[in-house]
Amino acid sequence: MAAEIVNPRSDSSTGHEGAEEPFDPAFALHRGGKMAVQATVPVRDKDDLSLAYTPGVAKVCTAIAEQPELVNDYTWKSNVVAVVTDGTAVLGLGDIGPEASLPVMEGKAILFKQFGGVDAVPIALATTDADEIVETVVRLAPSFGGVNLEDISAPRCFEIERKLQERLDIPVFHDDQHGTAVVTLAALRNAAKLTGRTLGELRAVISGAGAAGVAIAKFLLEAGLGDVAVADRKGIVSRDRDDLTPVKRELAELTNKAGLSGSLEAALAGADVFIGVSGGTVPEPAVASMAPNSFVFAMANPNPEVHPDIAHKYAAVVATGRSDYPNQINNVLAFPGIFAGALQVRASRITEGMKIAAAEALANVVGDELSADFVIPSPFDERVAPAVTAAVAAAARAEGVARR
C-alpha cells in the first residue's frame, strides 16, 4: 500500500529487520518524491512526434546554434532554476550529505513552482570542495536561467556564490543569505513604521555570524539601518578580536559603529532590535534590558532564541521562523518572486537594488492592515509573489541588468 510506512531500517528491501513504526504522514507524503517532469506539449501521433523530436527539433537546434539567445525562447531555460546544494547545512540538521538533503531540495523546487510559477530542478552534489562545486555549476549552467544555492555551510557559501556570480551571466542567489535578509528587512520596515521610527534610528543585535547573520547585517546597513552588532559563539564581532575569519574581519569593519565588545547579552542592553539566526537561548534579563518598543525577531527553528511568551513581555513586535505564531519570517515570501522577476526580464544577475525592491514590495503588501501581529504577510497571501515579481523586474530594468 502506498500509505504504509515502516521504519526505513526495518524495510525488508534493505535487508534489515526491526519493528514497524506508527504511521507518519511526513513519510506518506514523501514516498516516491514530491515532484515529477510533465510535458507541456502532446505527443499523440507521428505528426506530434516529428515536431517534438526528430526531424522537427533539428530546425530549432540549428536556429539556436546560429543565434544562441534563442535558447530562451525555444526551450524551458528562461524559466528554470537549478537548486544546488552539497548537503552541508540542511535546515537545522547540519551536514547530512547530498542524498539526505534531497527531500529539502525537492521541497524548495515545489515552492518555486507553487509560489512563483518557476520550474526548478534539485541538484545535490557529491563534493564539498568549493572549487569543484563552482566548476560543476558552471558546466551545468547552459541548461538553466538561474542558480539558487541552498544549504551550503559558511564560510564556503560566500566564496562559491561570489565565484559563480563572476563567471556566469545568469542570476546566482544564495537563499539562506539573501532570502532571509529580504524578508527580515521587510518586517523591520513595517515594525519601525508601526512604532513611528525610521531604520536609521534603530540599533540591532544579530545572534549568529553564519550565512544568514552576515547577509542580514550587510543588507540592513545597505538599507539604512542605524547600527548593527553581530555576535558569534565567542561574543560580539569587533575589530579588537584576533580570532576572526576573513569574512568576519570584513564584517567587523562594516558593523558595530558603537564599538561594542563582550557578550551578546551585554550588547542587547538598550538595543532596539534582536535578530536571532543561530539557535540557543537568550536569557530573559537580556531581553528585558532592551530599549522600550523593541523588536524581537527570534527565527531559529523549531525553538526560537527567545520564546514568544517571553518576548511579548518586553517587545512591541515579535517575529519567529515558525508558522504557528504571527509574523513568520519565511524565505518563501522572497525567493519565488525574486527569481520570477529576474527571469521575466532575463536579468544577468540579482543586484542589491533588486533585493531592496523586493523587501519594499513585500512590506507594502501589508498596507493598512499593519499591526503588531501583522508586520509581514503570510506566504499564502496571493498578493505577495506578483508584487515581488513586478518590483524586482522593474528594479532590474532600472539598474541596467535586464535583457528584455
Side-chain angles (χ1 to χ4, degrees):
M1 294 174 59
E4 182 182 2
I5 303 301
V6 298
N7 185 334
R9 294 170 296 179
S10 68
D11 190 330
S12 60
S13 66
T14 67
H16 296 286
E17 295 182 357
E20 290 190 1
E21 290 183 347
F23 172 82
D24 186 326
F27 279 92
L29 183 143
H30 283 80
R31 185 178 288 280
K34 299 193 291 285
M35 57 186 294
V37 174
Q38 181 176 342
T40 60
V41 297
V43 183
R44 298 162 298 196
D45 51 37
K46 67 176 184 177
D47 291 333
D48 288 344
L49 182 59
S50 69
L51 288 173
Y53 202 52
T54 187
V57 73
K59 298 177 184 179
V60 180
C61 293
T62 301
I64 294 171
E66 294 172 354
Q67 299 182 61
E69 67 275 10
L70 291 178
V71 69
N72 293 297
D73 296 311
Y74 295 108
T75 73
W76 77 336
K77 175 183 170 74
S78 64
N79 195 53
V80 65
V81 171
V83 181
V84 178
T85 190
D86 63 358
T88 55
V90 181
L91 296 178
L93 304 173
D95 185 356
I96 59 174
E99 290 85 359
S101 77
L102 270 177
V104 177
M105 301 310 118
E106 287 183 5
K108 191 81 172 192
I110 64 175
L111 295 178
F112 264 111
K113 189 66 173 179
Q114 177 167 338
F115 292 104
V118 173
D119 291 304
V121 177
I123 298 177
L125 301 178
T127 178
T128 60
D129 181 271
D131 288 333
E132 289 184 357
I133 292 172
V134 169
E135 292 300 328
T136 301
V137 175
V138 167
R139 284 161 173 74
L140 290 170
S143 296
F144 298 98
V147 175
N148 183 102
L149 299 174
E150 189 76 16
D151 292 348
I152 298 173
S153 63
R156 294 173 311 112
C157 60
F158 304 114
E159 175 188 1
I160 291 167
E161 183 185 51
R162 176 180 56 80
K163 288 183 175 179
L164 286 172
Q165 288 172 337
E166 291 171 353
R167 294 183 60 180
L168 298 177
D169 65 347
I170 58 175
V172 177
F173 185 86
H174 185 208
D175 186 48
D176 301 313
Q177 294 183 60
H178 311 300
T180 307
V182 165
V183 183
T184 300
L185 174 59
L188 191 56
R189 279 190 180 280
N190 277 340
K193 180 180 178 181
L194 182 68
T195 56
R197 289 176 287 179
T198 65
L199 289 179
E201 297 175 78
L202 303 177
R203 177 172 73 84
V205 178
I206 297 175
S207 175
V214 170
I216 291 170
K218 290 181 177 180
F219 192 54
L220 293 182
L221 290 173
E222 179 78 18
L225 187 74
D227 193 15
V228 59
V230 182
D232 62 12
R233 292 184 180 88
K234 297 182 179 179
I236 298 300
V237 174
S238 58
R239 296 181 184 181
D240 59 359
R241 282 178 50 180
D242 60 5
D243 60 344
L244 300 179
T245 64
V247 170
K248 291 181 183 179
R249 281 200 297 272
E250 178 190 6
L251 191 64
E253 294 296 323
L254 296 172
T255 62
N256 195 16
K257 297 175 187 175
L260 302 174
S261 60
S263 68
L264 167 75
E265 290 80 5
L268 281 174
D272 302 291
V273 186
F274 168 76
I275 297 171
V277 284
S278 66
T281 301
V282 177
E284 183 173 346
V287 181
S289 74
M290 295 177 67
N293 286 323
S294 61
F295 313 140
V296 172
F297 293 1
M299 297 186 280
N301 265 317
N303 300 311
E305 294 89 348
V306 182
H307 192 280
D309 292 345
I310 300 297
H312 277 295
K313 290 183 182 181
Y314 310 102
V317 175
V318 177
T320 72
R322 291 175 51 147
S323 59
D324 54 347
Y325 290 103
N327 298 326
Q328 183 188 18
I329 307 293
N330 191 326
N331 290 13
V332 77
L333 288 163
F335 70 81
I338 289 174
F339 268 100
L343 293 174
Q344 184 181 96
V345 298
R346 295 179 189 165
S348 58
R349 59 194 176 96
I350 294 172
T351 65
E352 290 300 298
M354 292 161 71
K355 291 185 287 184
I356 288 175
E360 291 175 347
L362 184 54
N364 289 340
V365 168
V366 171
D368 294 338
E369 301 170 71
L370 180 63
S371 70
D373 283 343
F374 192 55
V375 297
I376 199 76
S378 162
F380 297 99
D381 189 323
E382 294 181 355
R383 299 171 294 176
V384 168
V388 174
T389 299
V392 169
R397 291 191 178 100
E399 299 206 340
V401 297
R403 289 176 285 198
R404 75 166 183 179

